Amino acid sequence: MSVVTGVPVRLGAVSFRAHPRAILVVVGLLLLAAGLALLGLLTGDFPLNLTQLWNTLQGAGTGGQKYIVFDLRLPRVTIAVLVGAALGISGAIFQSLSRNPLGSPDIIGFSTGSATGAILVLVVFGGGMTEIALGSIAGGIVAAIVVYGLAYRTGVQGYRLILIGIGVTAVLGSLNTYVLTRAGLRQAQAAQVWLVGSLNGRGWSEVLPIAISLAVLLPAAVILGRRLAVLEMGDETATMLGIRTEPTRLSLVVISVALTAVATACAGPIAFVALAAPQLARRLAGSSGVALLPAAAMGAALLLGGDVLSQRAFGQNALPVGVTTAAIGGLYLAWLLATEWRSGRR
C-alpha cells in the first residue's frame, strides 16, 4: 500500500514518504505544462517569437506586444494552470473517497450545482461577474450539502454517493434548462456561453481568487491526503489506525467542493478534467494510492492542452475549451466504462 512504500523524508517537524516515480511524473507533467503554456503565449492571431516574448516579459516589448502578452495570453494561461490543478485535486479526492473512478465533481453534481447558482444569479437577479462567482460558490456548496446529506447513513458509502450525485445532477440540469427557457435572449446567450466552460475574456481579476484558494486549500489537501490511503482500506481499519473517519472525510469533502466551486466560478463548469486527470496521473505514477500532486499537474496540463487545441486547431472558429474537454472526456469515459466492465466491476 502507498502508506508503507516510498522514501521517507523529513523536513523539520514534517515527515512524509516520497515516491520517486511520482516525483518524476510531476516533473514531467510540469515540463509538459510549461511547454504548452509557452505555445499558448507564442501562437495566435499575432504570433510572437521567443526573442519578442522574452523582451516583452522583461518590459522591453512594444505596446501591442505588451497588451497581447500581459492582458490577453498570460492571464489566460495562468487561469488554465490554476483551474486545471484545482479540478485535478478535487477529482482525486472524490475518487478516493468514493473508491470509484467515476466519483468526480462533474459526475456527482457539485459542478452542476455551481452552474445552477451562477445561472440563477445571472438570469433571475441580473448580477455581474462578482455576484455570478459568489452564486457559483454558493450553488456548489448547497449541492454538496444535499448530496452528502442524502448519502449519509451512519457514514458515506462510495456507490451511494455516486448514485445520489447522479440523480442530483439530473435534477439540477433540468432546473438549469428551465431557467434558461424563462430568460431573455441576451441573458440566455450569456448563461449558455458560461455553461459551456470557457477561458475567453478571463483576466487578472479571475486569477487572484483562484490563486488565493489554491494557496490555502492545496496544503490542506496534501496534509489530509495522507489519510486518504488509510480510508481506502475501510473505516474499521482506519479507525484502528487512529483516523477519525467521518470528520476526516467531511473535511476532505469541504476542500474538494471549495476547489470545484472556485474553479467553476472562474471558468465555468469545464467537463471531464476532474474525472480524467486523477486516473491518468495514477496510471503514470504507477501507484495504487492517492496521487494528489500528480493529479494537479495532470489537470493543469490537460486544461492547457485543451485550451491550446481549442484556439489553434480550428482556424478562425475557435471553440470554448469546455467543448474540447467534453469531446475528449467523452471518449475517455467510454474507455473507462469499457475497462471497468471487462474487469467485472459494475
Side-chain angles (χ1 to χ4, degrees):
M1 296 296 294
S2 59
V3 291
V4 295
T5 59
V7 179
V9 176
R10 179 176 292 276
L11 297 175
V14 179
S15 63
F16 58 93
R17 290 182 177 272
H19 301 266
R21 180 168 171 176
I23 294 174
L24 290 176
V25 167
V26 171
V27 172
L29 289 172
L30 290 177
L31 290 175
L32 174 60
L36 291 169
L38 184 62
L39 184 63
L41 292 172
L42 291 174
T43 59
D45 292 337
F46 299 95
L48 303 172
N49 58 43
L50 286 172
T51 301
Q52 290 172 328
L53 176 61
W54 176 254
N55 290 337
T56 302
L57 292 175
Q58 294 294 314
T62 66
Q65 290 170 346
K66 290 179 181 178
Y67 173 74
I68 290 171
V69 172
F70 290 111
D71 292 343
L72 299 181
R73 295 180 183 173
L74 189 57
R76 184 179 185 127
V77 164
T78 305
I79 290 173
V81 171
L82 297 177
V83 169
L87 293 176
I89 296 170
S90 180
I93 291 174
F94 271 114
Q95 288 177 8
S96 178
L97 290 177
S98 63
R99 305 175 202 171
N100 192 305
L102 293 176
S104 76
D106 43 358
I107 297 293
I108 58 179
F110 301 154
S111 296
T112 309
S114 295
T116 301
I119 290 174
L120 289 175
V121 170
L122 175 63
V123 173
V124 177
F125 302 105
M129 288 304 299
T130 301
E131 290 79 12
I132 290 173
L134 294 175
S136 174
I137 294 172
I141 293 172
V142 171
I145 292 172
V146 171
V147 172
Y148 194 88
L150 292 175
Y152 188 87
R153 294 292 184 277
T154 64
V156 174
Q157 299 300 319
Y159 278 101
R160 186 164 63 237
L161 182 69
I162 291 173
L163 290 174
I164 290 175
I166 291 173
V168 171
T169 298
V171 172
L172 291 175
S174 298
L175 176 61
N176 293 348
T177 302
Y178 172 76
V179 173
L180 289 179
T181 63
R182 308 302 298 177
L185 180 60
R186 295 177 64 87
Q187 289 177 320
Q189 287 177 332
Q192 189 59 48
V193 169
W194 188 87
L195 274 175
V196 171
S198 175
L199 300 177
N200 295 336
R202 301 304 190 268
W204 294 112
S205 59
E206 286 82 19
V207 170
L208 185 59
I210 193 166
I212 294 175
S213 300
L214 270 177
V216 173
L217 295 172
L218 179 57
V222 171
I223 292 172
L224 286 176
R226 294 182 294 178
R227 303 180 185 180
L228 278 171
V230 182
L231 290 175
E232 287 185 351
M233 299 168 65
D235 286 2
E236 291 185 5
T237 302
T239 301
M240 290 175 59
L241 293 174
I243 302 295
R244 299 176 61 196
T245 56
E246 285 307 316
T248 300
R249 189 177 287 116
L250 181 59
S251 298
L252 287 164
V253 167
V254 169
I255 291 172
S256 184
V257 169
L259 287 170
T260 300
V262 173
T264 304
C266 181
I270 295 176
F272 288 108
V273 173
L275 176 70
Q279 289 299 310
L280 294 175
R282 178 177 286 197
R283 283 169 168 78
L284 285 177
S287 171
S288 60
V290 184
L292 293 183
L293 293 181
M298 177 63 76
L302 283 178
L303 192 52
L304 268 173
D307 190 45
V308 171
L309 181 63
S310 299
Q311 293 182 80
R312 312 294 186 245
F314 302 96
Q316 298 297 320
N317 301 313
L319 298 175
V321 67
V323 175
T324 303
T325 59
I328 297 173
L331 296 175
Y332 170 79
L333 181 59
W335 172 82
L336 179 61
L337 290 173
T339 302
E340 292 291 299
W341 180 78
R342 289 195 191 99
S343 67
R345 291 175 292 187
R346 299 294 188 267

